[in-house]
Structures are given as structure tokens and as C-alpha cells.
Amino acid sequence: GLECDGKINICCRKQFYVNFRDIGWSDWIIAPIGYYGNYCEGECPSHIAGTSGSSLSFHSAVINHYRIRGYSPFNNIKSCCVPTKLRAMSMLYYDDEHNIVKKDIQNMIAEECGCS
Amino acid sequence: EGLVSDCPSCSLPRLQETAPSAESQLVEAVKEHILNMLHLKERPNITHPVPRAALLNALKNLHVGKVRDDGNVEIEEEASSGQALREPEQTSEIISFAEAGPTQDVVHFQIAMEGGRDLTLVDQANIWLYLKLSNKTNRSRSKVTVRLYQAGQGQDGQALVSEKQVDIKRSGWHTIPVSRSAQATLGTQERSLELRVTCEQCPEAGVRPVLAEPTDKEESHRPFLMLLVREVQEHTHRIRKR
């Protein structure tokens, strides 16, 4: 996936780190000290739709197959810039009863972006 | 858009970099996303956090986390990169510290309801109890039996929840498993558990269990309940039963 560096406008990943102390949440979140709220942004012109992320390789093979023959059921599909690889995050925090909860949350951090 | 979905960043608004409030909008979106993923309606209001010594003791005993040089706690990330499948069941570990009960030998545990979750199934529950040796220890005895009774249950108003023979060569922590029946009260609405801790041989052996002491002296050795819970949506659980 591409990292957004302000120079490209095609689908890329924008890093956005939030330190819990800066937002006044470090009193109830014990760990980690911050969160990568990365998000995806940028255009998905048709010629690159479905071309990123190994997980989409089958998808892009089908698209290219049709495109070579001129006919494509995917011509008018508008593809979206979405995370194509996500990572879990473990959190340790106080709940309303002041118990400590450790939770491993799936799909919490966007690691790569690509055109759906 | 704001609904929890498999695509975390879809819940973040598309922002124009120029607007100065873009950053605060994004921070609000991140906050909302974190609360969504933790199934919390709003951030908990922490009025009396657990003493840090008790917290660090529990984390160290349970190998949940360690304290870094800068004093921050570090936990083991769940090693799962790539597109993880969304589980219909979310497992959590809950550490609940004992509050003082109606009498000195009773401790009380309270578990919070999580917003929007249908069912909490307790997979495992252990009480961690610190037995402290006094200097007048009778060396002839090397083990004592600790018993936990659930107040308000059973024939004479209490049901034996668990008992364990523990070694008392030195002061230390001991885990005592909590029976299925006692776990059941934690999965229901009131989500509380009141236990009476007894140890008939302790006085003679010169050892005592540290309970929810009124003084701060023993704060770091306050008993705690360790739960492994699974929150499942009701329909998933029903399918599972079928």
C-alpha cells in the first residue's frame, strides 16, 4: 500500500497517531499510551481499481481478464479507497466498575490501503 | 457511517486538511471508533482508580503486562496481522479487585455491564489471594486449607464455592478456582459475587489471608478475581446451543 505524503492523490494510508494523555483519556486507558487511528484516502481511478493488496490479487486478475477482451462487468463500478490489511490491538482499561479489562480487538489498526 | 464495520477507517470522516478543526474532528472520530470497538457507550468515569501497586501486582502475576522504564504499562499485542476475520465472540480478561464486604471475612466483586452485549459467558474464574506469614509462624504446619463460601446461597445461607490446600512456606499469592455455579451469578444481570474466606488452620499456623483491608497498609495485596469472559450476541449463542 502507499503512504499519503501530501504529493499524491491516489488511494493511500494517512497515519494519525493519538496520544491518550493529550486527549485526557490516560486516566481510564492503562495501556497502550496511544492509538494509530490511520485512515485511507485518495482517488481510485478505474485503471488502478482493485490493483493493490495481495488479498485482492484474484480480484484484479478477473478484472484484467475482462478488460483485455474489452468487455468488463466492472466498467461502471466506482471503487473505494479502503484498508486492505488490518492489525489487532490489545487494550488494558478501567471499566465503569473500576475493574481492569484486557481486550484484544481485531481489525483495529489500518496497516495498508487499496482500491476495493 | 459511524456504525462499527469491518473497515475501521470507514467510520472516520473524509477531511479537508485545511480546516483547523479537521484535527479535532478526527480526534472525535477516533474516540468514537475506540468506544465502538470496546462496546462502550461513553468513556468510563474513573472516580477511585485501583492503587497502582495493586494494579502492577495483578498484571505481573497474570503476565498481562509489564512496567516500562518510563513507568508506562506495556501489554502483549495479540499477534494477528493481516485481515483477521471478525469473530462473533469477543473474549476479554477482566481483573476485579475485592471491595470490603459486610463483615471482615467477606469480600465483594462487581463486574460492569458492557453496552449492547447480549450475553457474557464466563469461561474461567480464579480468585487470587495473598497469604501473609506472621513472625510467630508455627513451622510444624506447611499447608493450610482455604475455603470460599458464596454468601446467600446453599442450605445455611452459604454454599461452598471452592477449597484449596495451599503451601505456606513463605508469604505469597495463591489462585483458587471459582466453581461454575458461582461463575453463573457473574454472567447474570447483577454481575456481583460475595465470598466468605475461611481458613480454620491459619491462626495456629501463624498465617492470615489478606482481604479487603480498611487501611492502605495491605493495598498492594488486595485479593482480585480474574475472569476470562466471552461476550456473544444472543442469536450466535442460540445457534451454538442448537
Side-chain angles (χ1 to χ4, degrees):
Chain A
L2 293 173
E3 289 297 325
C4 298
D5 57 5
K7 298 173 194 130
I8 55 173
N9 70 343
I10 57 171
C11 180
C12 56
R13 179 185 74 156
K14 181 85 176 166
Q15 292 232 16
F16 184 76
Y17 181 73
V18 176
N19 182 297
F20 292 132
R21 185 177 302 280
D22 296 345
I23 62 172
W25 273 19
S26 58
D27 62 325
W28 71 279
I29 297 180
I30 302 164
I33 57 176
Y35 166 59
Y36 282 95
N38 307 329
Y39 58 95
C40 303
E41 66 172 12
E43 298 306 319
C44 279
S46 56
H47 67 278
I48 69 162
T51 55
S52 79
S54 56
S55 55
L56 296 176
S57 54
F58 169 71
H59 178 85
S60 50
V62 168
I63 288 186
N64 292 336
H65 164 77
Y66 277 108
R67 187 170 294 120
I68 291 163
R69 284 157 182 63
Y71 157 73
S72 163
F74 302 94
N75 275 337
N76 56 355
I77 283 186
K78 175 86 185 85
S79 70
C80 171
C81 181
V82 292
T84 50
K85 189 172 175 187
L86 294 143
R87 178 156 59 92
M89 175 167 112
S90 297
M91 287 190 76
L92 201 59
Y93 61 94
Y94 284 109
D95 66 13
D96 282 322
E97 296 293 340
H98 300 88
N99 297 315
I100 295 161
V101 183
K102 181 194 176 220
K103 202 167 264 193
D104 301 322
I105 312 156
Q106 302 304 326
N107 303 339
M108 191 63 181
I109 298 174
E111 286 213 299
E112 280 184 22
C113 296
C115 293
S116 63
Chain B
E1 280 303 301
L3 291 180
V4 175
S5 71
D6 272 350
C7 159
S9 72
C10 291
S11 58
L12 300 178
R14 287 182 60 79
L15 295 159
Q16 305 310 319
E17 293 296 315
T18 51
S21 69
E23 180 110 350
S24 54
Q25 265 183 10
L26 201 47
V27 169
E28 287 314 309
V30 166
K31 285 180 172 181
E32 183 188 327
H33 177 59
I34 290 173
L35 293 176
N36 267 341
M37 296 299 263
L38 293 178
H39 307 299
L40 296 175
K41 292 191 176 67
E42 56 201 4
R43 56 144 289 170
N45 181 24
I46 306 304
T47 50
H48 53 280
V50 167
R52 192 155 176 83
L55 164 70
L56 300 182
N57 253 332
L59 299 184
K60 189 177 68 179
N61 279 307
L62 298 171
H63 307 294
V64 166
K66 51 185 178 283
V67 185
R68 289 190 325 211
D69 300 344
D70 59 7
N72 286 311
V73 172
E74 182 178 320
I75 43 180
E76 300 305 318
E77 285 278 345
E78 175 71 11
S80 73
S81 64
Q83 181 82 20
L85 290 177
R86 170 168 288 285
E87 292 289 326
E89 301 173 353
Q90 166 75 43
T91 59
S92 308
E93 292 169 54
I94 297 178
I95 305 169
S96 179
F97 286 88
E99 300 289 340
T103 54
Q104 206 160 7
D105 59 350
V106 174
V107 286
H108 178 85
F109 299 96
Q110 185 66 44
I111 307 298
M113 283 286 286
E114 280 207 3
R117 308 304 286 168
D118 291 337
L119 260 182
T120 297
L121 300 177
V122 180
D123 283 339
Q124 184 189 337
N126 286 306
I127 297 280
W128 284 70
L129 197 61
Y130 190 81
L131 289 186
K132 187 177 173 68
L133 266 61
S134 67
N135 44 22
K136 301 181 300 302
T137 302
N138 170 357
R139 287 288 165 196
S140 63
R141 179 179 287 279
S142 65
K143 289 182 185 296
V144 292
T145 300
V146 178
R147 290 186 180 87
L148 304 179
Y149 291 90
Q150 186 172 5
Q153 308 279 328
Q155 288 90 359
D156 49 352
Q158 59 176 18
L160 180 65
V161 166
S162 185
E163 66 177 354
K164 184 175 180 183
Q165 203 179 44
V166 298
D167 186 308
I168 53 167
K169 287 197 191 66
R170 67 182 69 79
S171 297
W173 287 97
H174 300 276
T175 57
I176 304 174
V178 175
S179 64
R180 284 272 163 209
S181 59
Q183 288 179 23
T185 57
L186 289 167
T188 56
Q189 284 307 316
E190 73 265 13
R191 289 171 183 270
S192 70
L193 183 62
E194 202 151 87
L195 294 174
R196 195 158 73 79
V197 181
T198 68
C199 171
E200 284 86 10
Q201 303 119 330
C202 280
E204 171 221 336
V207 66
R208 71 183 178 85
V210 174
L211 299 178
E213 317 282 307
T215 62
D216 293 349
K217 198 164 32 75
E218 299 287 355
E219 271 300 352
S220 59
H221 292 124
R222 201 193 304 184
F224 58 90
L225 170 66
M226 162 63 190
L227 289 174
L228 201 54
V229 301
R230 239 176 327 128
E231 292 103 8
V232 290
Q233 302 298 343
E234 181 95 25
H235 65 279
T236 312
H237 184 61
R238 218 176 296 123
I239 291 170
R240 181 175 295 280
K241 266 187 176 173
R242 209 180 296 143

